């Protein structure tokens, strides 16, 4: 209440990162998101019409922020979905964006700027071109972006595992030791606080890596090799029962496609790789990915390569939206129309 009571002295936009996992919302002039909730994909019954779910979702966010929709423009992230460059995929993306605009303008929001979460993550790293590795709730997307636009003609690589699979795999590893969990929340807490990615998996297996923590209201837990085995499935999906290419292979393939496409005379634009979302914050992930890419790519492609961890942790896309909000011209932001992105 104290924070929201100050909003009259802090003009700006409402920022909502409402994609997979959970939603972050707040004001563009604040240092970090003010609150969290379920995403719009989880509101109401999954069979409810999208309009109804979006209306309920945005209504709930505005209620929690205690602000009238008509008083502030909004910048929000939209999911990275319908990856192809086909007509049907374009139509699906447009349908989702139109539904969002329709709901918000029906709520009298003065202006809407909807940007996909990969682009926002790149903006948060103060880049307009590069490759974003978005480790989402169910899938991981490798997204090439040139001058702020997703280059779908190059191709978005998709790996069929995400944060949920890593959490589930950690649960399976502990069950093998006859340790069961009543809630995935406990497993996720252990993953976020104790797990990491090994620089060299075989070498790490020879070490004593035990560590313990107390999960409030649940108890103490100790992890050993599970600490790095959990994140290893990003590079060796088969050990987790997933038939898919490894993360480094997907990124290398994307870089090969970017190089072959010759979209610009500058062939360094795709050599900046930005990691995004909560699971991408695992310690050691950026370093391991960079190491694997140097071993996979040709020397010419690997030269100048840089992998950047999530610039603002799990809130990276929210901070990208904040950056957009603070730089969109005022004469565009306050019009009741969709701001082109």
């Amino acid at each position: 209440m104290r924070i929201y009571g100050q909003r009259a002295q802090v003009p700006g936009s409402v920022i909502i990162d409402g994609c997979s996992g959970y939603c972050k919302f707040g004001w563009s002039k604040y240092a970090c998101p003010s609150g969290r909730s379920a995403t719009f994909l989880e509101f109401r019954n999954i069979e409810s019409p999208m309009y109804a779910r979006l209306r309920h979702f945005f209504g709930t966010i505005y209620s929690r922020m205690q602000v009238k929709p008509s008083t502030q423009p909004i910048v929000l992230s939209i999911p990275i979905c319908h990856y192809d460059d086909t007509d049907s995929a374009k139509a699906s993306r447009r349908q989702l964006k139109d539904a969002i605009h329709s709901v918000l303008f029906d709520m009298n929001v003065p202006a809407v700027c909807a940007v996909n979460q990969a682009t926002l993550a790149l903006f948060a790293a103060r880049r307009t071109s590069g490759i974003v590795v978005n480790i989402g709730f169910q899938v991981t997307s490798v997204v090439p972006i040139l001058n702020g636009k997703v280059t779908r003609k190059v191709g978005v690589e998709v790996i069929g595992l995400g944060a949920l699979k890593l959490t589930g795999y950690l649960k399976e590893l502990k069950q093998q030791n006859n340790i069961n969990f009543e809630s995935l929340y406990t497993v996720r807490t252990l993953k976020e606080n104790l797990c990491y990615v090994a620089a060299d998996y075989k070498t790490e297996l020879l070490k004593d890596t035990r560590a313990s923590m107390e999960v409030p209201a649940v108890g103490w837990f100790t992890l050993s090799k599970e600490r790095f085995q959990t994140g290893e499935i990003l590079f060796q999906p088969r050990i987790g029962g997933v038939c898919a290419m490894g993360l480094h292979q997907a990124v290398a393939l994307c870089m090969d496609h970017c190089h072959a496409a010759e979209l610009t005379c500058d062939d360094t634009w795709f050599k900046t790789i930005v990691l995004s979302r909560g699971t991408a914050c695992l310690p050691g992930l950026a370093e391991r990915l960079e190491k694997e890419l140097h071993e996979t790519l040709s020397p010419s492609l690997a030269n100048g390569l840089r992998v950047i961890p999530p610039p603002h942790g799990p809130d990276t896309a929210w901070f990208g939206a904040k950056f957009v909000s603070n730089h969109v011209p005022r004469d565009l932001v306050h019009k009741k129309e969709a701001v082109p992105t």
Side-chain angles (χ1 to χ4, degrees), residues 272-291:
T272 297
I273 299 161
V274 178
L275 305 183
S276 178
R277 311 309 286 186
T279 298
C281 297
L282 285 174
L285 177 57
E287 294 81 1
R288 171 69 179 278
L289 178 57
E290 189 167 314
K291 172 191 170 186

Side-chain angles (χ1 to χ4, degrees), residues 262-273:
E262 296 182 341
L263 298 177
T264 172
C265 58
D266 176 16
D267 67 350
T268 64
W269 69 269
F270 54 83
K271 293 186 178 183
T272 297
I273 299 161

Side-chain angles (χ1 to χ4, degrees), residues 186-321:
T186 302
V187 187
R188 189 180 73 183
T189 301
L190 293 174
K191 180 188 74 174
E192 293 174 350
N193 288 275
L194 294 181
C195 290
Y196 64 95
V197 175
D200 185 293
Y201 182 65
K202 292 182 179 180
T203 300
E204 207 72 10
L205 286 170
L206 303 176
K207 298 179 181 179
D208 181 2
T209 56
R210 283 176 295 180
S212 302
M213 71 166 291
E214 183 181 13
V215 178
V218 181
W220 281 90
F221 295 89
T222 299
L223 300 185
S224 182
K225 291 180 172 55
E226 305 95 343
R227 295 183 63 200
F228 60 88
Q229 288 173 328
T230 298
E232 187 63 24
I233 66 172
L234 289 170
F235 297 93
Q236 300 187 63
R238 291 184 182 275
I239 68 175
V242 179
C243 184
M245 71 178 87
L247 182 61
H248 58 297
Q249 295 167 325
V251 175
L253 183 61
C254 183
M255 292 182 67
D256 280 335
H257 289 165
C258 291
H259 178 67
E262 296 182 341
L263 298 177
T264 172
C265 58
D266 176 16
D267 67 350
T268 64
W269 69 269
F270 54 83
K271 293 186 178 183
T272 297
I273 299 161
V274 178
L275 305 183
S276 178
R277 311 309 286 186
T279 298
C281 297
L282 285 174
L285 177 57
E287 294 81 1
R288 171 69 179 278
L289 178 57
E290 189 167 314
K291 172 191 170 186
E292 295 285 352
L293 287 172
H294 275 285
E295 293 176 358
T296 303
L297 295 166
S298 64
S300 60
L301 275 183
N303 183 41
L305 172 69
R306 184 186 179 195
V307 179
I308 302 175
H312 297 278
D315 299 333
T316 290
W318 189 91
F319 278 91

